[in-house]
Amino acid sequence: GSEMPKSWPMASLKAQAVAARTYALKHLGKKKGFDINSSEQNQVYLGMESETLRTRKAVNGTRSLVLFYQDKLINAVFHSSSGGQTEASGNVWQYQLPYLQSVPDYDQHSPKYQWEKRFSSTELKQIFYEIDGLNSIQTLTTSNTGRLLKARLYGPGGDLVLTGKDLRKRLDLNSTLVKF
């Protein structure tokens, strides 16, 4: 119930319940001390007080349902917004999974569909210390969905090539679906 609005159609809440259950079961026993955490890193859980009759109905109505591919639990990853098109898993992680292909997404009304982030020159000097700040970014390669795969950064002290993932991490961006 913490992963999507509780007012959404029951079919959506049920689909989320199945995905979340599958994800949790797939990750059982993979880490010492805990299986998943309650943040956006795994699954947001805001406690029992955030549950509602509708979310409990969705969970109970899908009891024991999980997702399989070739007799194995799938990695049922989910997100809040894709910017209109999901990315194929091979462009996000090391392996392309046959059930995680790029598809259109109709999330234009999501508050995370479009976003903006600004940085001061002081922040950019700290983040890109190797090149003494940042003057400009040149996109080198993108995925079929327009997500940044590789970029060249130009600063007062030289240039630097980073993957889209590395640039996203350094700048703490919501996505690699970016424009500069």
Side-chain angles (χ1 to χ4, degrees):
S2 303
E3 285 287 349
M4 69 171 41
K6 297 159 185 58
S7 61
W8 279 14
M10 184 54 65
S12 298
L13 294 173
K14 285 182 174 184
Q16 179 61 44
V18 173
R21 181 182 301 115
T22 304
Y23 181 91
L25 290 171
K26 177 78 172 176
H27 290 85
L28 278 178
K30 297 217 172 162
K31 294 181 180 175
K32 289 189 178 192
F34 67 95
D35 295 307
I36 59 175
N37 64 41
S38 61
S39 73
E40 286 182 3
Q41 185 179 356
N42 292 134
Q43 289 188 29
V44 175
Y45 180 63
L46 301 175
M48 290 180 62
E49 58 275 0
S50 71
E51 295 177 10
T52 67
L53 181 62
R54 293 187 85 240
T55 59
R56 283 192 297 276
K57 186 176 179 180
V59 169
N60 292 334
T62 61
R63 186 173 304 283
S64 79
L65 296 179
V66 291
L67 300 166
F68 285 91
Y69 179 80
Q70 293 185 343
D71 298 325
K72 293 181 183 171
L73 286 170
I74 70 165
N75 190 14
V77 293
F78 43 90
H79 58 276
S80 65
S81 180
S82 71
Q85 181 83 21
T86 65
E87 186 66 72
S89 61
N91 288 335
V92 179
W93 300 294
Q94 189 172 2
Y95 301 106
Q96 176 59 50
L97 299 170
Y99 53 84
L100 290 179
Q101 301 292 326
S102 177
V103 296
D105 193 357
Y106 304 96
D107 58 348
Q108 292 80 5
H109 299 293
S110 167
K112 292 190 176 186
Y113 180 75
Q114 285 188 324
W115 48 272
E116 185 176 296
K117 191 162 188 179
R118 294 181 180 269
F119 301 90
S120 70
S121 57
T122 303
E123 289 173 310
L124 293 172
K125 271 190 166 206
Q126 291 172 341
I127 295 168
F128 302 110
Y129 58 90
E130 310 98 313
I131 56 174
D132 197 30
L134 184 65
N135 293 334
S136 65
I137 300 174
Q138 176 188 14
T139 299
L140 298 177
T141 55
T142 59
S143 69
N144 291 340
T145 63
R147 286 171 173 81
L148 183 66
L149 296 177
K150 193 176 283 188
R152 183 178 308 277
L153 290 72
Y154 298 94
D159 64 293
L160 175 67
V161 174
L162 291 177
T163 66
K165 290 177 196 175
D166 288 339
L167 186 58
R168 177 186 180 188
K169 186 175 181 179
R170 282 198 190 200
L171 294 175
D172 192 29
L173 302 175
N174 292 340
S175 170
T176 56
L177 186 58
V178 293
K179 292 179 186 172
F180 301 103

